[in-house]
Amino acid sequence: MAGGGGGCRRGREQLELERLGQAARPGSCPPSPPLSACSRQAWSRDNPGFEPEEDAAAAAAAAGPVLEMDVEWGSRAASSLGSGAGAPAGGGRRARRGPAGRGGAEGPGRLPGPPDGAAPRRAAWAKRLARRLRGLWGTRLMEESNTSRERYLKSVLRELVTYLVFLVVLCVLTYGTVSSSMYYYTRVMSQLFLETPVSKTERTDFKTLSTMDDFWKFTEGPLLDGLYWEMWYNNKTMAENKSFIYYENLLLGVPRIRQLKVRNGSCSIPEDLKDEIKDCYDVYSVANEDTAPFGLRNGTAWTYTNEKDLNGSSHWGLIATYSGAGYYQDLSRTREVTALQIASLKKNLWLDRGTRATFIDFSVYNANINLFCVVRLLVEFPATGGLVTSWQFQPVRLIHYISTFDFFLAACEVSFCLFVLYYMVEEVLEIRIHRLCYFRSLWNCLDILIIVLSVVAIGISIYRTSTVDMLLKKLLEDQNSFPNFEPLAYWQMQFNNIAAVTVFFVWIKLFKFVNFNRTMSQLSTTMSRCVKDVIGFAIMFFIIFLAYAQLAYLVFGTQIDDFSTFQDCIFTQFRIILGDFNFTEVEEANRILGPIYFTTFVFFMFFILLNMFLAIINDTYSEVKSDMAQQKAEMELSDLIRKGYNKAMIKLKLKKTTVDDISESLRQGGGKLNFDELRQDLKGKGHTDAEIEAIFTKYDQDGDQELTEHEHQQMRDDLEKEREDLDLDRSSLPRPLSSRSFPRSLDDSEEDEDEDSGHSSRRRGSSSSGVSYEEFQVLMRRVDRMEHSIGSIVSKIDAVIVKLEAMERAKLKRRDVLGRLLDGVTEDERLGRDSEMHREQMERLVREELERWESDDTASQMSHRLGTPLGLSGQPRSRSSRPSSSQSDGLDAAAAAAANGGSNIHV
């Protein structure tokens, strides 16, 4: 480190020359002192987790060149800044060495003059603005690989805060468009049309319709009564030509009834039955759909209209998927006309054997809660006979921006769009940096998926808003037409689905940030470790599970509704595993195979396979927990937050500084201080495990987890020097006289406040005084202290290298001696020598060498226990180094004896 001290002295000389030259120029301003944060405290320099706090702010100059020095070894060098008069507001932070042209320093100890003219200042301002904008998208993936743990966590914390704001905006948007009124709206409408009996003497309602006659009874009874509310309960007439269902819900336009048919002869009849069966109507499909006119052959009810003309869409029913075409009849706005239309359809046999589906569509609007309700009642006529009913009640909010809360949601929508744009730019920058390696992370793929879903949701929302205006305009022009809100309801349902999935994935992504906590990361680590075992278990599980599903479908599919399809069998078996089953139905369907199926399924799936799955998770969790207990504690997000909190408390003078906490712990510890005692004491004062371990490791030289008198005294001396430095800085540096700040490097936009341990804020301001002699003495003393610390580390590394070289030489020598010994034994066998004296001599020499090795190992272990890192000879040696030089000499003697005529020896 001699070069480091010389460089610092050369920098000081260069500074004095620059100051003299500046003073010699006419009209020059007095020089300014260096910023106080350039002199890092020895305590914080040797212990990255501990950063001292100062109450005095840094001094600065009103004008003139400013020297800024940093003693972060290997990371930054001294740099210079422009004059304070030309510095923009908001600067004044520590400059980072960077390439030329990027606002960095030109070299250590050099002080460039202030820029001349307005053009360089504008260029510097533009670069600074671009750098700040670029810093908005700084994430973990954009950090350099050699970034410190603290700076890495700062990026994570900023990313987490931004993401939480995005999550709050998204939740406000999604939950703001949904309310409990939608559920009550759906419930009252379904009760009116689904649960009202077809007549006072019958209990049949829409859900329990079974024949075409029941369908006509429903249309003539509950349907007309539900659609047309023309009288109050006191028999007074309501508004003319307007129907308010439940007196609150306006019927929009007119309802529509539509049917789909299949043509006769669409299926084949066996030859033996052609004389008995003349007509055949197949199940519904688009290919079998009937398009020919029938019945009265006039009007839309008796002639076919294609899907495009109806502006319809396909519908997924319980039996088949139906197109948006067919034969339709638009009803009237009055009850009397509608009753006549339904009677005419019934009289002329509008429904026949070829009918496969009938749709009843209408829409209502409730102004009290600003909700539309798009209703569709579907009656399917399967080829087996009878009918199956289904329904859809979709409450949607199609008119926006009416109330104050709606305008608040509009602001949230704008914020959401900005966030989506922000994350799009962020992902593009990350992909540009990491290329295809970006997609190897599951979290990155999840980010892309969230952005895609968000863009799709925005597009659907824009389409829905623009389309509803055209529909309402058309409805107001002709109120006797059918308002087709079905496409809007469909897209609204898709929007709700996409929004729900997006919110789900956005919440799941929180695990990406929670994993930085040591406790929370156990879940993700457990799942990642046991994924192979879980996949193997899943293969075995689903082989047995699907085998039982096939058995249940073939045995019970014709008799039990829960097993009527293969998909229903799968869901029913999952319900059985969770305890939801009906054993009576299974037993009644098959008295022999039913109980056998149920008993064996529960035994294998629940008692064996499910417990195997739990065992895999438990074993992996135990391994992860034990491994994490052995890992070295690192700085976490909670530690970073606690550290910032402690800094704020110290600045507010509500808490002692780090130096005071450690000094108090040393005073309470007495002669010796145990690591557990220090950890418990400092942990209670708000310090992190990483900080405590860093400071204890520095002074615990023998590694016995306890500070001796010498180590204790060394820590006290360093604390006293640190306190003196703090006092000296406070006394030598004046308070800032103005609020003007200094320019800063363009590369230092994110890390300066916390990374400088509070110094950056204290070195801003300006002053007219020069650089004090005392501060340069402080800098020199700290550089010398750094030289001493680095020198001790280098000497230890040299000792380790020398020890390794000695071990390697001893190993080679031992190998050579053992080779010669083996050659001597081989020579004795070849010549047939058998000397008892030589054999005893060889055995004695080898036994002595082995005993010497064992004694050396014992002595080495004792020395390590006593904290003495020296071997028996007083030289540093490793426990794993077997023979010393004396041992090698003994082996040489044994080899010489073997060469002179030894006997066979079995070692």
Side-chain angles (χ1 to χ4, degrees):
M1 286 296 295
C8 186
R9 286 189 290 271
R10 286 193 298 271
R12 185 173 59 183
E13 295 172 358
Q14 180 71 17
L15 173 63
E16 295 297 332
L17 293 176
E18 293 288 342
R19 292 175 59 194
L20 292 175
Q22 181 71 15
R25 298 189 190 100
S28 61
C29 298
S32 62
L35 303 179
S36 64
C38 68
S39 57
R40 289 220 179 242
Q41 307 300 332
W43 189 268
S44 61
R45 182 187 63 242
D46 296 334
N47 304 278
F50 283 83
E51 299 178 357
E53 298 296 330
E54 302 180 39
D55 294 328
V66 179
L67 175 65
E68 182 173 355
M69 301 181 66
D70 199 332
V71 296
E72 283 188 274
W73 180 54
S75 62
R76 291 172 178 83
S79 59
S80 61
L81 302 174
S83 63
R93 298 182 181 178
R94 177 164 48 93
R96 178 192 299 175
R97 174 182 292 188
R102 296 189 60 183
E106 298 180 4
R110 298 183 60 187
L111 293 173
D116 297 330
R121 284 198 296 270
R122 285 196 299 268
W125 180 85
K127 289 182 179 180
R128 186 179 299 107
L129 179 61
R131 181 64 57 185
R132 289 181 179 275
L133 293 177
R134 173 67 174 80
L136 292 175
W137 283 275
T139 61
R140 297 174 301 151
L141 296 180
M142 299 181 189
E143 295 289 347
E144 300 177 358
S145 58
N146 58 351
T147 304
S148 64
R149 177 70 176 177
E150 183 175 355
R151 181 178 177 182
Y152 180 77
L153 289 179
K154 289 176 185 176
S155 300
V156 173
L157 183 59
R158 190 187 67 173
E159 190 177 355
L160 173 60
V161 172
T162 305
Y163 188 77
L164 288 177
V165 176
F166 170 71
L167 177 60
V168 170
V169 172
L170 179 60
C171 290
V172 170
L173 276 179
T174 52
Y175 291 107
T177 56
V178 179
S179 65
S180 59
S181 300
M182 290 185 173
Y183 166 72
Y184 294 115
Y185 199 11
T186 303
R187 192 181 71 172
V188 297
M189 296 299 292
S190 61
Q191 287 176 349
L192 178 61
F193 291 99
L194 302 181
E195 299 178 6
T196 304
V198 295
S199 65
K200 296 181 179 179
T201 59
E202 299 182 32
R203 295 184 178 179
T204 304
D205 55 18
F206 183 81
K207 295 180 179 179
T208 59
L209 298 180
S210 58
T211 63
M212 287 186 180
D213 187 44
D214 292 338
F215 172 78
W216 289 117
K217 289 180 181 179
F218 169 78
T219 56
E220 293 173 340
L223 181 62
L224 290 179
D225 295 338
L227 288 175
Y228 301 99
W229 291 56
E230 299 177 349
M231 305 290 292
W232 284 94
Y233 55 85
N234 60 355
N235 294 328
K236 287 188 177 182
T237 306
M238 298 179 61
E240 186 178 357
N241 293 332
K242 291 183 180 180
S243 175
F244 285 89
I245 301 174
Y246 282 116
Y247 311 114
E248 302 292 346
N249 305 283
L250 175 64
L251 178 64
L252 300 176
V254 296
R256 170 176 290 179
I257 182 170
R258 176 173 62 94
Q259 74 158 325
L260 287 171
K261 302 178 63 177
V262 295
R263 64 179 181 272
N264 187 11
S266 56
C267 56
S268 58
I269 303 173
E271 294 292 337
D272 298 338
L273 299 176
K274 281 188 177 181
D275 296 335
E276 302 294 334
I277 302 175
K278 303 299 182 180
D279 300 327
C280 180
Y281 298 89
D282 200 358
V283 297
Y284 175 82
S285 66
V286 177
N288 295 332
E289 193 171 313
D290 188 6
T291 60
F294 73 103
L296 300 180
R297 296 178 180 272
N298 57 354
T300 58
W302 309 99
T303 57
Y304 182 84
T305 307
N306 58 36
E307 182 175 328
K308 182 178 180 181
D309 294 337
L310 285 177
N311 193 24
S313 58
S314 59
H315 180 85
W316 186 15
L318 298 178
I319 299 177
T321 300
Y322 303 98
S323 68
Y327 307 86
Y328 73 94
Q329 174 67 56
D330 287 341
L331 303 180
S332 176
R333 292 177 61 84
T334 62
R335 178 188 178 95
E336 291 78 10
V337 178
T338 301
L340 292 176
Q341 290 174 333
I342 293 176
S344 175
L345 295 177
K346 179 181 179 182
K347 178 181 178 181
N348 293 283
L349 200 64
W350 191 62
L351 300 181
D352 57 15
R353 290 183 57 191
T355 303
R356 287 292 174 262
T358 301
F359 298 85
I360 301 174
D361 297 309
F362 59 92
S363 302
V364 295
Y365 172 71
N366 190 311
N368 301 331
I369 54 178
N370 188 26
L371 283 179
F372 290 81
C373 186
V374 182
V375 182
R376 167 164 286 183
L377 305 177
L378 172 61
V379 180
E380 299 178 75
F381 300 89
T384 59
L387 55 85
V388 179
T389 60
S390 59
W391 51 88
Q392 280 187 356
F393 294 87
Q394 301 179 28
V396 292
R397 179 175 281 108
L398 300 178
I399 301 178
H400 299 277
Y401 317 126
I402 296 178
S403 63
T404 304
F405 184 72
D406 291 339
F407 287 103
F408 170 72
L409 291 180
C412 292
E413 289 176 354
V414 174
S415 302
F416 177 77
C417 295
L418 294 177
F419 269 111
V420 172
L421 181 62
Y422 170 83
Y423 282 117
M424 288 176 65
V425 175
E426 177 181 297
E427 301 308 318
V428 168
L429 293 176
E430 292 179 354
I431 294 175
R432 183 181 179 183
I433 294 175
H434 298 277
R435 305 293 180 180
L436 295 179
C437 298
Y438 171 86
F439 297 96
R440 295 180 181 177
S441 173
L442 181 62
W443 296 116
N444 296 338
C445 297
L446 183 61
D447 293 339
I448 297 296
L449 179 60
I450 291 174
I451 292 175
V452 171
L453 292 176
S454 301
V455 172
V456 172
I458 293 173
I460 293 177
S461 179
I462 295 174
Y463 168 78
R464 179 194 60 191
T465 305
S466 60
T467 306
V468 70
D469 293 335
M470 293 187 297
L471 280 176
L472 290 177
K473 182 179 180 181
K474 182 179 179 181
L475 176 63
L476 293 176
E477 292 176 354
D478 185 8
Q479 297 185 6
N480 292 320
S481 63
F482 169 72
N484 189 7
F485 285 96
E486 178 60 28
L488 283 178
Y490 169 78
W491 286 113
Q492 179 64 36
M493 184 172 59
Q494 302 306 317
F495 175 82
N496 294 339
N497 296 336
I498 293 175
V501 174
T502 303
V503 171
F504 171 78
F505 283 130
V506 167
W507 276 101
I508 291 297
K509 189 185 171 183
L510 281 180
F511 281 103
K512 176 181 179 181
F513 304 100
V514 172
N515 285 340
F516 287 95
N517 184 275
R518 188 181 184 89
T519 303
M520 297 299 181
S521 63
Q522 292 182 2
L523 174 61
S524 59
T525 307
T526 300
M527 298 304 297
S528 61
R529 284 196 184 182
C530 69
V531 62
K532 294 183 179 179
D533 295 334
V534 171
I535 290 175
F537 166 80
I539 294 174
M540 179 177 60
F541 175 85
F542 282 107
I543 287 175
I544 302 176
F545 187 86
L546 295 176
Y548 273 102
Q550 293 280 359
L551 173 64
Y553 175 64
L554 297 175
V555 175
F556 315 115
T558 60
Q559 303 179 49
I560 304 178
D561 180 59
D562 291 339
F563 296 94
S564 58
T565 63
F566 184 70
Q567 294 86 346
D568 290 339
C569 290
I570 293 177
F571 295 133
T572 302
Q573 289 188 159
F574 278 117
R575 289 168 52 193
I576 292 175
I577 293 176
L578 297 176
D580 181 16
F581 56 86
N582 191 342
F583 176 73
T584 304
E585 288 185 349
V586 175
E587 186 180 21
E588 291 176 353
N590 194 310
R591 292 186 177 182
I592 298 176
L593 292 180
I596 294 176
Y597 158 81
F598 182 81
T599 304
T600 56
F601 178 80
V602 171
F603 177 76
F604 285 108
M605 304 302 297
F606 185 79
F607 290 104
I608 296 180
L609 293 180
L610 188 60
N611 287 283
M612 286 180 59
F613 175 74
L614 296 178
I616 292 173
I617 300 296
N618 289 334
D619 291 345
T620 308
Y621 180 77
S622 300
E623 295 177 1
V624 170
K625 194 171 183 180
S626 61
D627 292 346
M628 286 191 170
Q630 299 174 1
Q631 291 179 358
K632 183 180 179 181
E634 290 186 343
M635 192 175 188
E636 300 178 358
L637 275 178
S638 58
D639 299 331
L640 182 63
I641 297 174
R642 189 184 301 112
K643 182 178 177 181
Y645 170 77
N646 292 335
K647 287 182 179 180
M649 297 298 289
I650 292 174
K651 289 180 180 179
L652 296 174
K653 298 185 181 301
L654 299 177
K655 189 177 181 180
K656 296 181 179 179
T657 62
T658 305
V659 176
D660 295 334
D661 289 340
I662 299 178
S663 301
E664 184 178 353
S665 299
L666 292 178
R667 287 193 298 270
Q668 295 176 358
K672 288 189 176 182
L673 188 62
N674 186 272
F675 174 73
D676 295 332
E677 297 175 356
L678 180 64
R679 179 180 180 276
Q680 183 177 2
D681 190 12
L682 294 182
K683 191 78 173 177
K685 296 177 181 178
H687 301 288
T688 63
D689 290 333
E691 295 174 343
I692 301 170
E693 185 174 353
I695 184 59
F696 200 89
T697 304
K698 176 182 182 298
Y699 293 100
D700 187 18
Q701 299 178 357
D702 52 8
D704 59 352
Q705 296 293 308
E706 187 172 316
L707 297 181
T708 61
E709 287 287 348
H710 176 70
E711 297 167 346
H712 201 166
Q713 186 61 36
Q714 184 179 358
M715 181 182 288
R716 287 180 179 276
D717 295 341
D718 288 347
L719 286 173
E720 291 300 327
K721 293 178 182 178
E722 180 70 17
R723 195 181 302 279
E724 292 176 2
D725 293 340
L726 291 175
D727 296 338
L728 184 59
D729 287 343
R730 293 191 182 99
S731 61
S732 61
L733 298 179
R735 292 280 181 175
L737 301 179
S738 66
S739 59
R740 287 177 293 179
S741 55
F742 295 96
R744 48 165 297 179
S745 172
L746 297 176
D747 296 333
D748 211 9
S749 60
E750 296 298 332
E751 58 173 339
D752 36 19
E753 277 99 13
D754 291 332
E755 186 178 344
D756 288 346
S757 305
H759 292 291
S760 60
S761 61
R762 286 184 293 273
R763 63 172 177 237
R764 299 168 190 160
S766 59
S767 174
S768 59
S769 61
V771 177
S772 64
Y773 174 77
E774 290 80 2
E775 179 158 1
F776 274 102
Q777 290 296 323
V778 171
L779 288 174
M780 292 300 298
R781 185 166 55 188
R782 289 174 183 170
V783 171
D784 294 338
R785 229 180 267 164
M786 179 183 289
E787 276 190 9
H788 176 72
S789 301
I790 300 300
S792 63
I793 295 174
V794 172
S795 63
K796 292 179 181 179
I797 294 176
D798 293 338
V800 172
I801 294 175
V802 171
K803 190 184 299 182
L804 292 175
E805 292 176 353
M807 290 172 57
E808 185 66 22
R809 288 195 301 269
K811 181 179 179 182
L812 295 175
K813 192 170 184 180
R814 183 172 69 252
R815 182 183 300 173
D816 181 59
V817 170
L818 292 176
R820 285 155 47 192
L821 181 62
L822 183 60
D823 292 341
V825 173
T826 306
E827 183 69 18
D828 289 343
E829 291 180 352
R830 187 176 63 83
L831 299 176
R833 298 175 181 174
D834 189 12
S835 175
E836 187 67 25
M837 181 182 64
H838 288 173
R839 177 184 299 164
E840 293 177 355
Q841 182 181 4
M842 292 293 293
E843 289 180 354
R844 185 178 70 255
L845 290 175
V846 173
R847 190 177 296 110
E848 289 177 357
E849 292 301 321
L850 293 176
E851 290 176 355
R852 186 179 293 110
W853 288 358
E854 292 177 357
S855 63
D856 289 347
D857 282 342
T858 303
S860 178
Q861 294 176 3
M862 291 298 294
S863 65
H864 277 283
R865 292 176 182 174
L866 295 176
T868 305
L870 298 177
L872 296 176
S873 60
Q875 299 295 331
R877 53 164 289 144
S878 173
R879 292 179 57 184
S880 60
S881 60
R882 275 286 184 178
S884 61
S885 60
S886 60
Q887 297 168 359
S888 301
D889 295 339
L891 289 176
D892 289 340
N900 291 332
S903 57
N904 297 331
I905 296 178
H906 301 282
V907 180

